Amino acid sequence: MVTDSKRPLNAIPRATVVARILDGEHLVIYKGLVLRIPHSWLDAHPGGNLSILHYVGRDATDEVEVYHPDDVLQAIKCYAIGTVDEAELPWNPFIPPVEVGWVRKRVKATEGSKPEGGKASKYVWFKEADAMRAPADSTDPLCPPSQILLVQKNTLLPECDTPSLETLIAPPSTLSLQVQVEHSVAFKDLHQRIIDAGLYKCRYISGYGPEIVRYSMFAFASYWFYQKQWFLSSAFFLGLFWWQLVFFAHDLGHVGVTHCWEIDRLISILIADFIGGLSIGWWVDNHNIHHLVTNHPSHDPDIEHLPFLAISPVFFQSLWSSYYKRTMHFDAFAKVFITIQHYLFYVIMLLARFNLYGLSYTFLVKKAFDTRRTKGGRWAWGLEIVGIIFFWCWFGRVLVGCGDWKTALGYLFVSHASTSILHVQIVLSHFSMSTADLGPTESFPARQMRTTSDVICRPDLGWIHGGLHLQVTHHLFPRLPRHNLGEASKLVKEFAKERGLVYAEFGFVDGNMEMLGVLQGVAEQLKIMKRVAKLEVQAAVDKKLAATDTKTE
């Protein structure tokens, strides 16, 4: 038995942990403690509930520590209900229920089931998707035996009421748990070295000083050209202004500027919503999940782009998205677009900002009817709504000032298309990397380095990428101010070399070629599948005709 500052904590057997998870509790392992996350905090978590649900039954120590400041890490311990038995360390993870299609839903309690004086609602298990497991003897690198993908409910299995122990047992893994634990231990040492080096301190003057000058120059250029009625030039510089501001909003969304959630969120709303017309609340909710389950076809929203793009043939199976809560249908429309996706990629990127509007506003509308408001949710959501209205008022006035609808349409297109380099930069570090699911055994640093790459760039040109060309280091330490990523990346490369992990990096042109190669490879596989299917149909028809002729004779 161990004792924290408030109460004694007893060891909880592994069998009890999984039994309580099956009973509906959200238990997460953190530094040898068993944390029980109540529904009240799950719903209020600033990073969204999915960022916790993906770690139920798992050791989330590394993820928790790189995502939270010291004061939050101390507060987290109040959720401890016990410790892990030392005989059961290192912890052999379970599969989180959400990753096999199970979630808890609040329903109204019937009069018969509601205890006297009890609550009017309760939480019950709900199966939202079926889990499609890879064959245990699979040798396909795209579909290892540890892989679990989600498909539409009742596609594979009959309906059942609750998950079972077998549901949460992780499939065979090609990884050694001991090696992954050693990666994790070494990563903790790396994190401490970064802390000791003072790299979490934001460089407001030397870091953001030049950034603010650059933002101002782009904004002034847009205004000056607009006054001269050179509208397309004005639109181009407005797009560059938005492009660079997104990097600042990104830092604020990670609470990497002032390191105070309220201040960073307020500034980010002013930048993203009032100036850019995009919801920072949506972006944070989406982006946190991307960081935690990077490149997982069923869980990472940043690679779920059907019907326009597919970076792996596994998307041909009409996967279920645990983030979007819908099936990504591989329908006739997708089958046409995917075969030419490597030709259409840059065209799609030119229009990507319009898609961000749709995702942002859909998110805000859903939040309007969501009683589970996150921390600061009421004022932040309301301010975002005001910001979006303000954006369309000033930008609408800009479009009207163009004089005629053709010029206004040109202004709209050029201003949005000139931000497209941002969208290329975002996908460049992930589209060419692995999408295989190696299971919950894989350590946090190993997964991030397997699914993320850097863009090689001269330090003096790093601003073009917003400093985020160092994506590997950013994914390992998301709260690290981006102006310190260069120094941190040197330590990360040493860590990778010591641990035998690959630190992937490409030049901008080579990275684009790698990415286009992946898109073309998937397109070619689809074409082959179509030809095979056509031949099979033809063979079946020929066989039927031959049988008919024989019968006639």
Side-chain angles (χ1 to χ4, degrees):
M1 181 180 73
V2 298
T3 305
D4 68 2
S5 59
K6 296 182 179 179
R7 64 193 189 284
L9 297 173
N10 296 314
I12 301 178
R14 177 180 174 82
T16 302
V17 171
V18 70
R20 294 180 69 161
I21 291 173
L22 291 170
D23 281 341
E25 297 185 51
H26 303 107
L27 303 186
V28 177
I29 310 302
Y30 169 67
K31 297 183 74 171
L33 298 173
V34 180
L35 307 181
R36 179 183 178 276
I37 312 301
H39 280 287
S40 58
W41 180 244
L42 190 72
D43 293 339
H45 185 234
N49 61 2
L50 275 175
S51 59
I52 295 175
L53 293 179
H54 279 297
Y55 288 88
V56 170
R58 297 175 59 180
D59 188 328
T61 303
D62 291 338
E63 291 85 347
V64 168
E65 295 203 327
V66 298
Y67 262 89
H68 301 91
D70 290 341
D71 59 330
V72 175
L73 295 178
Q74 289 301 316
I76 283 173
K77 294 178 181 178
C78 73
Y79 293 119
I81 60 172
T83 64
V84 177
D85 193 321
E86 290 187 6
E88 294 172 337
L89 291 174
W91 182 257
N92 190 14
F94 292 104
I95 294 289
V98 72
E99 295 193 2
V100 283
W102 287 97
V103 294
R104 301 283 289 175
K105 274 197 169 185
R106 180 183 291 175
V107 297
K108 290 183 178 180
T110 61
E111 290 302 320
S113 63
K114 184 171 66 175
E116 186 175 347
K119 297 181 179 179
S121 64
K122 62 178 182 178
Y123 286 91
V124 299
W125 282 114
F126 175 77
K127 188 178 185 183
E128 62 180 10
D130 278 348
M132 182 172 60
R133 297 176 182 249
D137 58 352
S138 174
T139 58
D140 184 351
L142 294 176
C143 188
S146 54
Q147 180 146 285
I148 299 177
L149 300 173
L150 299 182
V151 294
Q152 190 168 336
K153 186 170 65 172
N154 296 330
T155 302
L156 303 174
L157 302 171
E159 186 67 33
C160 49
D161 296 328
T162 60
S164 64
L165 174 60
E166 291 72 22
T167 306
L168 305 187
I169 297 297
S173 175
T174 57
L175 302 175
S176 163
L177 177 59
Q178 186 58 45
V179 170
Q180 297 304 309
V181 170
E182 291 170 1
H183 288 333
S184 181
V185 171
F187 178 72
K188 291 178 178 61
D189 291 339
L190 170 64
H191 193 195
Q192 189 59 51
R193 291 173 66 191
I194 283 177
I195 294 171
D196 294 342
L199 296 180
Y200 273 102
K201 295 179 182 178
C202 185
R203 293 190 280 139
Y204 295 110
I205 303 300
S206 61
Y208 282 106
E211 300 281 351
I212 292 173
V213 171
R214 191 175 300 114
Y215 305 155
S216 301
M217 290 175 61
F218 285 145
F220 177 78
S222 177
Y223 174 78
W224 188 83
F225 281 119
Y226 191 87
Q227 293 301 312
K228 294 289 185 180
Q229 296 189 356
W230 295 2
F231 294 118
L232 297 187
S233 297
S234 171
F236 175 72
F237 280 100
L238 177 60
L240 296 187
F241 176 55
W242 284 338
W243 163 51
Q244 284 291 300
L245 271 186
V246 165
F247 297 125
F248 191 17
H250 169 275
D251 302 345
L252 293 159
H254 277 297
V255 199
V257 180
T258 70
H259 300 302
C260 172
W261 187 90
E262 287 79 6
I263 296 176
D264 280 8
R265 179 53 60 91
L266 177 61
I267 300 172
S268 64
I269 290 175
L270 294 176
I271 291 173
D273 296 77
F274 281 76
I275 299 177
L278 301 175
S279 165
I280 191 66
W282 159 75
W283 181 85
V284 170
D285 189 74
N286 176 289
H287 196 65
N288 281 336
I289 301 305
H290 160 68
H291 266 268
L292 293 170
V293 286
T294 311
N295 270 23
H296 193 296
S298 281
H299 305 301
D300 180 1
D302 275 12
I303 65 168
E304 297 175 344
H305 299 300
L306 280 182
F308 299 106
L309 298 171
I311 64 171
S312 170
V314 299
F315 285 102
F316 299 167
Q317 301 171 84
S318 293
L319 301 181
W320 169 269
S321 168
S322 63
Y323 180 81
Y324 291 116
K325 304 300 181 187
R326 60 176 174 81
T327 300
M328 298 176 285
H329 291 289
F330 189 64
D331 53 19
F333 189 78
K335 290 174 182 177
V336 172
F337 267 85
I338 301 306
T339 56
I340 54 175
Q341 61 179 357
H342 47 300
Y343 298 118
L344 294 178
F345 173 74
Y346 294 109
V347 176
I348 293 171
M349 292 299 102
L350 288 174
L351 304 174
R353 191 175 181 90
F354 294 103
N355 182 53
L356 300 189
Y357 289 139
L359 294 171
S360 291
Y361 305 156
T362 300
F363 175 85
L364 291 174
V365 169
K366 288 181 178 178
K367 283 296 178 183
F369 300 97
D370 190 353
T371 58
R372 306 171 303 164
R373 294 293 173 85
T374 59
K375 174 186 175 183
R378 286 181 172 81
W379 72 260
W381 179 85
L383 190 58
E384 285 205 75
I385 296 299
V386 173
I388 298 301
I389 294 172
F390 177 83
F391 167 79
W392 284 109
C393 285
W394 78 257
F395 186 60
R397 181 66 187 85
V398 167
L399 295 179
V400 170
C402 291
D404 61 80
W405 71 268
K406 291 181 180 179
T407 305
L409 188 62
Y411 196 102
L412 177 69
F413 175 75
V414 171
S415 62
H416 286 62
S418 58
T419 66
S420 61
I421 187 173
L422 168 68
H423 307 296
V424 174
Q425 290 168 329
I426 288 171
V427 303
L428 194 60
S429 292
H430 300 290
F431 270 25
S432 62
M433 302 302 288
S434 172
T435 59
D437 173 18
L438 299 188
T441 299
E442 187 174 26
S443 65
F444 172 71
R447 178 175 184 84
Q448 296 306 324
M449 300 189 78
R450 179 175 61 83
T451 57
T452 309
S453 67
D454 279 1
V455 177
I456 299 172
C457 177
R458 285 170 40 186
D460 59 324
L461 296 179
W463 65 270
I464 295 176
H465 296 273
L468 294 175
H469 54 292
L470 300 170
Q471 277 287 308
V472 174
T473 302
H474 170 61
H475 263 252
L476 291 172
F477 305 103
R479 291 188 304 110
L480 207 64
R482 62 183 159 99
H483 303 103
N484 296 336
L485 289 176
E487 286 300 312
S489 69
K490 298 174 184 177
L491 300 177
V492 173
K493 287 183 177 180
E494 291 177 9
F495 163 81
K497 186 175 181 180
E498 291 168 0
R499 297 306 311 160
L501 297 170
V502 176
Y503 191 110
E505 52 184 351
F506 305 95
F508 185 75
V509 174
D510 289 340
N512 273 268
M513 293 300 100
E514 287 280 338
M515 178 178 59
L516 291 175
V518 168
L519 295 174
Q520 184 175 1
V522 173
E524 292 298 331
Q525 289 187 58
L526 178 56
K527 290 177 183 177
I528 292 171
M529 286 176 57
K530 285 183 172 182
R531 284 196 287 266
V532 169
K534 186 176 181 179
L535 290 172
E536 288 177 346
V537 170
Q538 186 61 50
V541 171
D542 292 343
K543 185 177 180 180
K544 187 173 182 180
L545 290 174
T548 303
D549 291 343
T550 302
K551 186 176 180 181
T552 302
E553 292 175 0

